[in-house]
Amino acid sequence: MAQMQRPAVAVHLDDLLRFASELAEREGFAPDRVRDVELAVEESLVNILTYAYPNRTGFVEVHREFDGRSLRVSVVDNGVPFDPLSVPVTGLTVDTARRGVGGLGILLVRRLADHVAYRRQEGANVLTLTFDRPPPTRTGDPVHPIRDDIMETQFQRIENTTLLAVKGRVDHKTAKAFEEVLKNTLDEASADGSPVLVLDLSGLEYMTSAGLRVLMIAAKTCTSRQQKLAVAALQPAIQEIFRISRFDLVLPVYPTVADALKALSPDAAVRWRE
Amino acid sequence: MQVRFWGTRGSLPTSTGGASIREKIRQALRQADGRRWETDEQLEAFIDDALAFPVRNGYGGDTSCVQIASRREPTLLDMGSGLRRFGQQVMETPDQDRPTTFHFFMSHLHWDHIMGFPFFPPAYLPGNTIHIYGGHPENVLREAFLRQQSTPCFPVHWDQLGASIRFTRLETDRWHRINGFAVKLLRQAHHGGSFGYRIEKDGKALVYSTDSEHKQQDDTETEATVSFYREADLVIFDAMYSLADMITVKEDWGHSSNIVGADLCLRANVKHYCMFHHEPAYDDATLYEILQETRRYAEIVGEGKSLEISTAYDDMVLRL
Ligand SMILES: [Zn+2]
Ligand SMILES: [Zn+2]
């Protein structure tokens, strides 16, 4: 789980809520839903900024985590104990709440998130908002053009290992997005003390030098942080590209994800199921 | 348009070397396998047809110098050690046909791109005019040549040259008309800056883009390169390193890789991609293998686009 801590003052609001919504965006939440995440987190933060520290400036933290199905965002402060869920919900609709942002904040949060939980823990208020990612809608819409700029990633944490499945095409059109995903994944892995990152490339169909460059940046980051990066399960064409670019000499390449885990993290290898 | 390569090696001239020549002989003899030839023509045909390029020939070791055929006044790109052989050809031309005015476009002023000039006999002949164009300021251009021909680097000093030598800075972002060619420059990433040239004539376009590190880090820069290369008939490209080398140990050394060149040329719908500025450490067999690999790479990522790919060698002639 990655986290961001800032002084509980309004200037940091944007940073903090973007920290949460960015993960939603990256994990493929619809734009409307990403805005819901932002709005809910914003309301939670405004609440803290307004009430948690009446006599001093304290800190506020946002923790974020995606488990493959749901995004969990926790907003943490160690100010005055307050359970926002103790406020009763009556006659509130999301629309009226949107108009009344501020006063109805916490009620709005309960409407926007799929699940809200509060706990007081070690002198801190911890409000956890869960947003479920709906399954991707399959539309057979014939007017929808065939897209060649599709790159998808799927994230999984197994013991000390982060497994990132990369699918589709990584070229000059998608390299920036790929770079961002890899960077964030590595940052999170680093924050969580997860020293091993394995890229499952079995779904990667196409990659040019623009994508290879991103892999190299990730490899350099890993080296500087003493994390281990490996790629696994390359399709034959991608394997050839690795050989031609000499990337097979600078990145550890394994025939299967299982082989990579076995070599880099025996614990994860035991727990991993294909 | 016709292009002749006088020098294609990067950074430093090389020689084939005895071991490599011996290897070529060994392979040729093995290939011949005791065969006999009735005539010289048959022997020549065997050499051409049966022996692979690195066995029957080689890429040569002279540094960057490329000529674009022009009517009266020769037009060249860079003055690497390959310029010596061009100068020799000029001097062997009968008096009445021998050119007296020359046009040189300079990518930049690193040693491997100017070292041929002291060995260019026409520079010593009074009455000749030599135009040297570049993207760098005129005083920077002049200084590089002046230093090269001064003590202790070279015995014949700059002011002892007989020809009239004129330096001209060419601005980027607009077309210039020089010696019948339309010429445009692009600033490239390299130590001290380098310039790519797009040269057009009779509906044909050539791009000379050497000593340039295409990191693909900055979209604006990459897009500028792609549009500079767009639909060119020939792109001569600095493919000095493998991609892995280029972005690890040799990052910021100012050169590109074979597959970055392929990607850029594919995106720009270039007709012919010519690899250039070869790593001095690579022998003929290695360069030949890299050519096969680059073709294979372009086949994989090109998705049906046709891109001709070659590796420049000294004395290669291309017709566009
Ligand atoms: Zn050079
Ligand atoms: Zn240079």
Side-chain angles (χ1 to χ4, degrees), chain B residues 152-199:
Chain B
C153 298
F154 201 73
V156 187
H157 287 192
W158 182 254
D159 51 19
Q160 291 169 271
L161 295 174
S164 154
I165 299 165
R166 312 220 173 115
F167 293 97
T168 309
R169 179 189 201 169
L170 302 177
E171 303 286 329
T172 53
D173 303 324
R174 74 174 187 89
W175 287 96
H176 305 268
R177 228 166 228 291
I178 294 164
N179 198 26
F181 295 100
V183 180
K184 203 175 184 184
L185 282 73
L186 176 75
R187 198 183 166 85
Q188 306 176 135
H190 192 67
H191 285 279
S194 77
F195 293 85
Y197 288 84
R198 184 177 177 110
I199 299 180

CSV table of all heavy atoms in Angstrom, one decimal, chain B residues 152-199:
chain,number,residue,atom,x,y,z
B,152,PRO,N,50.4,22.0,-32.4
B,152,PRO,CA,51.2,20.9,-32.9
B,152,PRO,C,50.4,19.8,-33.7
B,152,PRO,O,51.0,18.7,-33.9
B,152,PRO,CB,51.7,20.3,-31.6
B,152,PRO,CG,50.6,20.4,-30.7
B,152,PRO,CD,49.9,21.7,-31.1
B,153,CYS,N,49.2,20.1,-34.1
B,153,CYS,CA,48.4,19.1,-34.7
B,153,CYS,C,48.7,18.7,-36.1
B,153,CYS,O,48.6,17.6,-36.5
B,153,CYS,CB,46.9,19.5,-34.7
B,153,CYS,SG,46.3,19.7,-33.0
B,154,PHE,N,49.2,19.7,-36.9
B,154,PHE,CA,49.4,19.5,-38.3
B,154,PHE,C,50.4,20.4,-38.8
B,154,PHE,O,50.4,21.6,-38.5
B,154,PHE,CB,48.1,19.6,-39.1
B,154,PHE,CG,48.1,18.9,-40.4
B,154,PHE,CD1,48.1,17.5,-40.5
B,154,PHE,CD2,48.2,19.6,-41.6
B,154,PHE,CE1,48.1,16.9,-41.7
B,154,PHE,CE2,48.2,19.0,-42.8
B,154,PHE,CZ,48.2,17.6,-42.9
B,155,PRO,N,51.4,20.0,-39.7
B,155,PRO,CA,52.5,20.9,-40.1
B,155,PRO,C,52.1,22.0,-41.1
B,155,PRO,O,52.7,23.0,-41.1
B,155,PRO,CB,53.4,19.9,-40.8
B,155,PRO,CG,52.6,18.7,-41.2
B,155,PRO,CD,51.5,18.6,-40.2
B,156,VAL,N,51.0,21.7,-41.9
B,156,VAL,CA,50.6,22.8,-42.8
B,156,VAL,C,49.5,23.6,-42.2
B,156,VAL,O,48.4,23.1,-41.9
B,156,VAL,CB,50.2,22.2,-44.2
B,156,VAL,CG1,49.9,23.3,-45.2
B,156,VAL,CG2,51.2,21.2,-44.7
B,157,HIS,N,49.8,24.9,-42.0
B,157,HIS,CA,48.8,25.7,-41.3
B,157,HIS,C,47.7,26.2,-42.2
B,157,HIS,O,47.8,26.2,-43.4
B,157,HIS,CB,49.5,26.9,-40.6
B,157,HIS,CG,50.3,26.4,-39.4
B,157,HIS,ND1,50.9,27.3,-38.5
B,157,HIS,CD2,50.7,25.2,-39.0
B,157,HIS,CE1,51.5,26.6,-37.5
B,157,HIS,NE2,51.4,25.3,-37.8
B,158,TRP,N,46.6,26.6,-41.5
B,158,TRP,CA,45.4,27.0,-42.2
B,158,TRP,C,45.7,28.2,-43.2
B,158,TRP,O,45.2,28.1,-44.3
B,158,TRP,CB,44.4,27.5,-41.1
B,158,TRP,CG,43.1,28.0,-41.7
B,158,TRP,CD1,42.7,29.3,-41.8
B,158,TRP,CD2,42.1,27.1,-42.2
B,158,TRP,NE1,41.4,29.3,-42.4
B,158,TRP,CE2,41.0,28.0,-42.7
B,158,TRP,CE3,42.0,25.7,-42.4
B,158,TRP,CZ2,39.9,27.5,-43.2
B,158,TRP,CZ3,40.8,25.3,-43.0
B,158,TRP,CH2,39.8,26.1,-43.4
B,159,ASP,N,46.6,29.1,-42.8
B,159,ASP,CA,46.8,30.3,-43.7
B,159,ASP,C,47.7,29.9,-44.9
B,159,ASP,O,48.0,30.7,-45.8
B,159,ASP,CB,47.4,31.5,-42.9
B,159,ASP,CG,48.5,31.1,-42.1
B,159,ASP,OD1,49.2,30.0,-42.3
B,159,ASP,OD2,48.9,31.8,-41.1
B,160,GLN,N,48.2,28.7,-44.9
B,160,GLN,CA,49.0,28.2,-46.1
B,160,GLN,C,48.2,27.6,-47.1
B,160,GLN,O,48.7,27.1,-48.2
B,160,GLN,CB,50.1,27.3,-45.6
B,160,GLN,CG,51.2,28.0,-44.8
B,160,GLN,CD,52.1,27.0,-44.1
B,160,GLN,OE1,51.8,26.5,-43.0
B,160,GLN,NE2,53.2,26.6,-44.8
B,161,LEU,N,46.9,27.4,-46.9
B,161,LEU,CA,46.0,26.8,-47.9
B,161,LEU,C,45.8,27.8,-49.0
B,161,LEU,O,45.6,29.0,-48.8
B,161,LEU,CB,44.6,26.4,-47.3
B,161,LEU,CG,44.7,25.3,-46.2
B,161,LEU,CD1,43.3,25.2,-45.6
B,161,LEU,CD2,45.2,24.0,-46.8
B,162,GLY,N,45.8,27.3,-50.3
B,162,GLY,CA,45.7,28.2,-51.4
B,162,GLY,C,44.2,28.6,-51.8
B,162,GLY,O,44.0,29.7,-52.3
B,163,ALA,N,43.3,27.7,-51.5
B,163,ALA,CA,41.9,27.9,-51.9
B,163,ALA,C,41.3,29.0,-51.1
B,163,ALA,O,41.7,29.3,-50.0
B,163,ALA,CB,41.1,26.6,-51.8
B,164,SER,N,40.2,29.6,-51.7
B,164,SER,CA,39.4,30.6,-50.9
B,164,SER,C,38.4,29.8,-50.2
B,164,SER,O,37.6,29.0,-50.8
B,164,SER,CB,38.8,31.6,-51.9
B,164,SER,OG,37.6,32.1,-51.3
B,165,ILE,N,38.4,29.9,-48.8
B,165,ILE,CA,37.5,29.1,-48.0
B,165,ILE,C,36.4,29.9,-47.3
B,165,ILE,O,36.8,30.9,-46.6
B,165,ILE,CB,38.3,28.2,-47.0
B,165,ILE,CG1,39.2,27.3,-47.8
B,165,ILE,CG2,37.3,27.4,-46.2
B,165,ILE,CD1,40.3,26.7,-47.0
B,166,ARG,N,35.2,29.7,-47.6
B,166,ARG,CA,34.1,30.5,-47.0
B,166,ARG,C,33.2,29.7,-46.1
B,166,ARG,O,32.7,28.6,-46.5
B,166,ARG,CB,33.2,31.1,-48.2
B,166,ARG,CG,34.0,31.7,-49.3
B,166,ARG,CD,33.4,32.9,-49.8
B,166,ARG,NE,34.4,33.5,-50.8
B,166,ARG,CZ,34.1,33.6,-52.1
B,166,ARG,NH1,32.9,33.2,-52.6
B,166,ARG,NH2,35.0,34.2,-52.9
B,167,PHE,N,33.0,30.3,-44.9
B,167,PHE,CA,32.1,29.6,-44.0
B,167,PHE,C,30.7,30.3,-43.9
B,167,PHE,O,30.7,31.5,-43.9
B,167,PHE,CB,32.7,29.7,-42.6
B,167,PHE,CG,33.9,28.9,-42.4
B,167,PHE,CD1,35.2,29.4,-42.6
B,167,PHE,CD2,33.9,27.5,-42.2
B,167,PHE,CE1,36.4,28.7,-42.4
B,167,PHE,CE2,35.0,26.7,-42.0
B,167,PHE,CZ,36.3,27.3,-42.2
B,168,THR,N,29.7,29.5,-43.9
B,168,THR,CA,28.3,30.1,-43.9
B,168,THR,C,27.5,29.3,-42.9
B,168,THR,O,27.4,28.1,-43.0
B,168,THR,CB,27.6,30.0,-45.3
B,168,THR,OG1,28.5,30.5,-46.3
B,168,THR,CG2,26.3,30.7,-45.3
B,169,ARG,N,26.9,30.1,-42.0
B,169,ARG,CA,25.9,29.4,-41.1
B,169,ARG,C,24.6,29.3,-41.8
B,169,ARG,O,24.1,30.3,-42.3
B,169,ARG,CB,25.8,30.2,-39.8
B,169,ARG,CG,24.8,29.6,-38.9
B,169,ARG,CD,24.5,30.5,-37.7
B,169,ARG,NE,24.0,29.6,-36.6
B,169,ARG,CZ,23.8,29.9,-35.4
B,169,ARG,NH1,24.1,31.2,-35.0
B,169,ARG,NH2,23.3,29.1,-34.5
B,170,LEU,N,24.0,28.2,-41.7
B,170,LEU,CA,22.6,28.0,-42.2
B,170,LEU,C,21.6,27.9,-41.0
B,170,LEU,O,21.8,27.1,-40.1
B,170,LEU,CB,22.5,26.7,-43.1
B,170,LEU,CG,23.5,26.6,-44.2
B,170,LEU,CD1,23.3,25.3,-45.0
B,170,LEU,CD2,23.3,27.8,-45.2
B,171,GLU,N,20.6,28.8,-41.1
B,171,GLU,CA,19.6,28.8,-40.1
B,171,GLU,C,18.7,27.5,-40.2
B,171,GLU,O,18.5,27.0,-41.3
B,171,GLU,CB,18.6,30.0,-40.2
B,171,GLU,CG,19.3,31.3,-40.2
B,171,GLU,CD,19.8,31.7,-38.8
B,171,GLU,OE1,19.1,31.3,-37.9
B,171,GLU,OE2,20.8,32.4,-38.7
B,172,THR,N,18.2,27.0,-39.1
B,172,THR,CA,17.3,25.9,-39.1
B,172,THR,C,15.9,26.5,-39.4
B,172,THR,O,15.7,27.7,-39.4
B,172,THR,CB,17.2,25.2,-37.8
B,172,THR,OG1,17.0,26.1,-36.7
B,172,THR,CG2,18.5,24.4,-37.5
B,173,ASP,N,14.9,25.7,-39.6
B,173,ASP,CA,13.5,26.2,-39.8
B,173,ASP,C,13.2,26.9,-41.1
B,173,ASP,O,12.2,27.6,-41.2
B,173,ASP,CB,13.1,27.0,-38.6
B,173,ASP,CG,13.2,26.3,-37.3
B,173,ASP,OD1,12.9,25.0,-37.3
B,173,ASP,OD2,13.5,26.9,-36.3
B,174,ARG,N,14.2,26.9,-42.0
B,174,ARG,CA,13.8,27.4,-43.3
B,174,ARG,C,14.6,26.7,-44.4
B,174,ARG,O,15.6,26.2,-44.1
B,174,ARG,CB,13.9,29.0,-43.4
B,174,ARG,CG,15.4,29.5,-43.5
B,174,ARG,CD,15.4,31.0,-43.7
B,174,ARG,NE,16.7,31.5,-44.0
B,174,ARG,CZ,17.2,31.6,-45.2
B,174,ARG,NH1,16.6,31.2,-46.3
B,174,ARG,NH2,18.5,32.1,-45.3
B,175,TRP,N,14.1,26.8,-45.6
B,175,TRP,CA,14.8,26.1,-46.7
B,175,TRP,C,15.9,27.1,-47.3
B,175,TRP,O,15.7,28.3,-47.3
B,175,TRP,CB,13.8,25.8,-47.8
B,175,TRP,CG,12.9,24.6,-47.5
B,175,TRP,CD1,11.7,24.7,-47.0
B,175,TRP,CD2,13.3,23.2,-47.6
B,175,TRP,NE1,11.2,23.4,-46.8
B,175,TRP,CE2,12.1,22.5,-47.2
B,175,TRP,CE3,14.4,22.5,-48.0
B,175,TRP,CZ2,12.1,21.1,-47.1
B,175,TRP,CZ3,14.4,21.2,-48.0
B,175,TRP,CH2,13.2,20.5,-47.6
B,176,HIS,N,17.0,26.5,-47.7
B,176,HIS,CA,18.1,27.2,-48.3
B,176,HIS,C,18.2,26.6,-49.7
B,176,HIS,O,18.0,25.4,-49.9
B,176,HIS,CB,19.4,27.0,-47.5
B,176,HIS,CG,19.3,27.4,-46.1
B,176,HIS,ND1,19.5,28.7,-45.6
B,176,HIS,CD2,18.9,26.7,-45.0
B,176,HIS,CE1,19.3,28.7,-44.3
B,176,HIS,NE2,18.9,27.6,-43.9
B,177,ARG,N,18.6,27.5,-50.6
B,177,ARG,CA,18.9,27.0,-52.0
B,177,ARG,C,20.4,27.0,-52.2
B,177,ARG,O,21.0,28.1,-52.2
B,177,ARG,CB,18.2,27.9,-53.0
B,177,ARG,CG,17.5,27.1,-53.9
B,177,ARG,CD,16.4,27.5,-54.8
B,177,ARG,NE,15.3,26.6,-54.7
B,177,ARG,CZ,15.4,25.3,-55.1
B,177,ARG,NH1,16.4,24.8,-55.7
B,177,ARG,NH2,14.3,24.5,-54.9
B,178,ILE,N,21.0,25.9,-52.4
B,178,ILE,CA,22.5,25.8,-52.5
B,178,ILE,C,22.8,24.8,-53.6
B,178,ILE,O,22.5,23.7,-53.5
B,178,ILE,CB,23.1,25.5,-51.2
B,178,ILE,CG1,22.9,26.6,-50.1
B,178,ILE,CG2,24.6,25.2,-51.3
B,178,ILE,CD1,23.2,26.2,-48.7
B,179,ASN,N,23.6,25.3,-54.6
B,179,ASN,CA,24.1,24.5,-55.7
B,179,ASN,C,23.0,23.6,-56.3
B,179,ASN,O,23.2,22.4,-56.6
B,179,ASN,CB,25.2,23.6,-55.1
B,179,ASN,CG,26.1,23.1,-56.2
B,179,ASN,OD1,26.2,23.6,-57.3
B,179,ASN,ND2,26.8,22.0,-56.0
B,180,GLY,N,21.8,24.2,-56.4
B,180,GLY,CA,20.7,23.4,-57.1
B,180,GLY,C,19.9,22.6,-56.2
B,180,GLY,O,19.0,21.9,-56.6
B,181,PHE,N,20.3,22.5,-54.9
B,181,PHE,CA,19.5,21.7,-53.9
B,181,PHE,C,18.7,22.6,-53.0
B,181,PHE,O,19.1,23.7,-52.7
B,181,PHE,CB,20.5,20.9,-53.1
B,181,PHE,CG,21.3,19.8,-53.8
B,181,PHE,CD1,22.6,20.1,-54.2
B,181,PHE,CD2,20.7,18.6,-54.2
B,181,PHE,CE1,23.3,19.1,-54.9
B,181,PHE,CE2,21.4,17.7,-54.9
B,181,PHE,CZ,22.7,17.9,-55.3
B,182,ALA,N,17.6,22.0,-52.6
B,182,ALA,CA,16.8,22.7,-51.5
B,182,ALA,C,17.3,22.0,-50.2
B,182,ALA,O,17.3,20.8,-50.1
B,182,ALA,CB,15.3,22.5,-51.7
B,183,VAL,N,17.7,22.8,-49.2
B,183,VAL,CA,18.4,22.3,-48.0
B,183,VAL,C,17.7,22.8,-46.8
B,183,VAL,O,17.5,24.0,-46.7
B,183,VAL,CB,19.9,22.6,-48.0
B,183,VAL,CG1,20.6,22.1,-46.8
B,183,VAL,CG2,20.6,22.2,-49.3
B,184,LYS,N,17.4,21.9,-45.8
B,184,LYS,CA,16.9,22.3,-44.6
B,184,LYS,C,17.6,21.6,-43.4
B,184,LYS,O,18.1,20.5,-43.6
B,184,LYS,CB,15.4,21.9,-44.5
B,184,LYS,CG,14.6,22.7,-43.5
B,184,LYS,CD,13.1,22.4,-43.6
B,184,LYS,CE,12.3,23.2,-42.7
B,184,LYS,NZ,10.9,22.9,-42.8
B,185,LEU,N,17.8,22.3,-42.3
B,185,LEU,CA,18.6,21.7,-41.2
B,185,LEU,C,17.7,21.4,-40.0
B,185,LEU,O,16.7,22.1,-39.8
B,185,LEU,CB,19.6,22.7,-40.7
B,185,LEU,CG,20.9,22.8,-41.6
B,185,LEU,CD1,20.6,23.5,-42.9
B,185,LEU,CD2,22.0,23.5,-40.8
B,186,LEU,N,18.1,20.4,-39.2
B,186,LEU,CA,17.4,20.1,-38.0
B,186,LEU,C,18.5,19.9,-36.9
B,186,LEU,O,19.4,19.2,-37.0
B,186,LEU,CB,16.6,18.8,-38.1
B,186,LEU,CG,16.0,18.3,-36.8
B,186,LEU,CD1,14.7,19.1,-36.5
B,186,LEU,CD2,15.6,16.8,-36.9
B,187,ARG,N,18.3,20.7,-35.8
B,187,ARG,CA,19.2,20.5,-34.7
B,187,ARG,C,19.0,19.2,-34.0
B,187,ARG,O,17.9,18.8,-33.7
B,187,ARG,CB,19.0,21.7,-33.7
B,187,ARG,CG,20.2,21.9,-32.8
B,187,ARG,CD,20.1,22.9,-31.8
B,187,ARG,NE,21.1,22.8,-30.8
B,187,ARG,CZ,22.4,23.3,-30.9
B,187,ARG,NH1,22.6,24.0,-32.0
B,187,ARG,NH2,23.3,23.1,-30.1
B,188,GLN,N,20.1,18.5,-33.7
B,188,GLN,CA,20.0,17.2,-33.1
B,188,GLN,C,20.8,17.1,-31.7
B,188,GLN,O,21.7,18.0,-31.5
B,188,GLN,CB,20.7,16.2,-34.0
B,188,GLN,CG,20.1,16.2,-35.4
B,188,GLN,CD,20.8,15.3,-36.4
B,188,GLN,OE1,20.1,14.6,-37.2
B,188,GLN,NE2,22.1,15.2,-36.4
B,189,ALA,N,20.4,16.1,-30.9
B,189,ALA,CA,21.0,16.0,-29.6
B,189,ALA,C,22.4,15.3,-29.8
B,189,ALA,O,22.5,14.1,-30.2
B,189,ALA,CB,20.1,15.1,-28.7
B,190,HIS,N,23.5,16.0,-29.4
B,190,HIS,CA,24.8,15.5,-29.6
B,190,HIS,C,25.7,16.5,-28.8
B,190,HIS,O,25.4,17.6,-28.7
B,190,HIS,CB,25.2,15.4,-31.0
B,190,HIS,CG,26.5,14.6,-31.3
B,190,HIS,ND1,26.6,13.3,-31.1
B,190,HIS,CD2,27.7,15.0,-31.8
B,190,HIS,CE1,27.8,12.9,-31.4
B,190,HIS,NE2,28.5,13.9,-31.8
B,191,HIS,N,26.9,16.0,-28.3
B,191,HIS,CA,27.7,16.9,-27.6
B,191,HIS,C,28.1,18.1,-28.5
B,191,HIS,O,28.6,17.9,-29.6
B,191,HIS,CB,29.0,16.2,-27.2
B,191,HIS,CG,28.8,15.3,-26.0
B,191,HIS,ND1,28.7,15.8,-24.7
B,191,HIS,CD2,28.5,14.0,-25.9
B,191,HIS,CE1,28.4,14.8,-23.9
B,191,HIS,NE2,28.3,13.7,-24.6
B,192,GLY,N,27.8,19.3,-28.1
B,192,GLY,CA,28.1,20.5,-28.8
B,192,GLY,C,27.1,20.8,-29.9
B,192,GLY,O,27.2,21.7,-30.7
B,193,GLY,N,26.1,19.9,-30.0
B,193,GLY,CA,25.0,20.1,-31.0
B,193,GLY,C,25.5,19.5,-32.4
B,193,GLY,O,26.6,19.6,-32.8
B,194,SER,N,24.6,18.9,-33.1
B,194,SER,CA,24.8,18.5,-34.5
B,194,SER,C,23.6,18.8,-35.3
B,194,SER,O,22.5,19.2,-34.7
B,194,SER,CB,25.2,17.0,-34.5
B,194,SER,OG,24.0,16.3,-34.4
B,195,PHE,N,23.7,18.8,-36.6
B,195,PHE,CA,22.6,19.2,-37.5
B,195,PHE,C,22.4,18.1,-38.5
B,195,PHE,O,23.3,17.5,-39.1
B,195,PHE,CB,22.9,20.5,-38.2
B,195,PHE,CG,22.9,21.6,-37.2
B,195,PHE,CD1,24.1,21.9,-36.5
B,195,PHE,CD2,21.8,22.3,-36.9
B,195,PHE,CE1,24.1,22.9,-35.5
B,195,PHE,CE2,21.8,23.3,-35.9
B,195,PHE,CZ,22.9,23.7,-35.2
B,196,GLY,N,21.1,17.7,-38.7
B,196,GLY,CA,20.7,16.8,-39.7
B,196,GLY,C,20.4,17.7,-40.9
B,196,GLY,O,20.0,18.8,-40.8
B,197,TYR,N,20.5,17.1,-42.1
B,197,TYR,CA,20.2,17.8,-43.4
B,197,TYR,C,19.1,17.1,-44.1
B,197,TYR,O,19.2,15.8,-44.3
B,197,TYR,CB,21.4,17.9,-44.2
B,197,TYR,CG,22.4,18.9,-43.7
B,197,TYR,CD1,23.4,18.5,-42.8
B,197,TYR,CD2,22.5,20.2,-44.2
B,197,TYR,CE1,24.3,19.4,-42.3
B,197,TYR,CE2,23.4,21.1,-43.7
B,197,TYR,CZ,24.3,20.7,-42.7
B,197,TYR,OH,25.2,21.6,-42.2
B,198,ARG,N,18.1,17.8,-44.6
B,198,ARG,CA,17.2,17.2,-45.6
B,198,ARG,C,17.5,17.9,-46.9
B,198,ARG,O,17.4,19.2,-47.0
B,198,ARG,CB,15.7,17.5,-45.1
B,198,ARG,CG,14.7,16.8,-46.1
B,198,ARG,CD,13.3,17.0,-45.6
B,198,ARG,NE,12.4,16.4,-46.6
B,198,ARG,CZ,11.7,15.3,-46.4
B,198,ARG,NH1,11.8,14.6,-45.3
B,198,ARG,NH2,10.9,14.8,-47.4
B,199,ILE,N,17.8,17.2,-47.9
B,199,ILE,CA,18.3,17.7,-49.1
B,199,ILE,C,17.3,17.2,-50.3
B,199,ILE,O,17.2,16.0,-50.4
B,199,ILE,CB,19.7,17.4,-49.4
B,199,ILE,CG1,20.6,18.0,-48.3
B,199,ILE,CG2,20.2,17.9,-50.8
B,199,ILE,CD1,22.1,17.7,-48.4
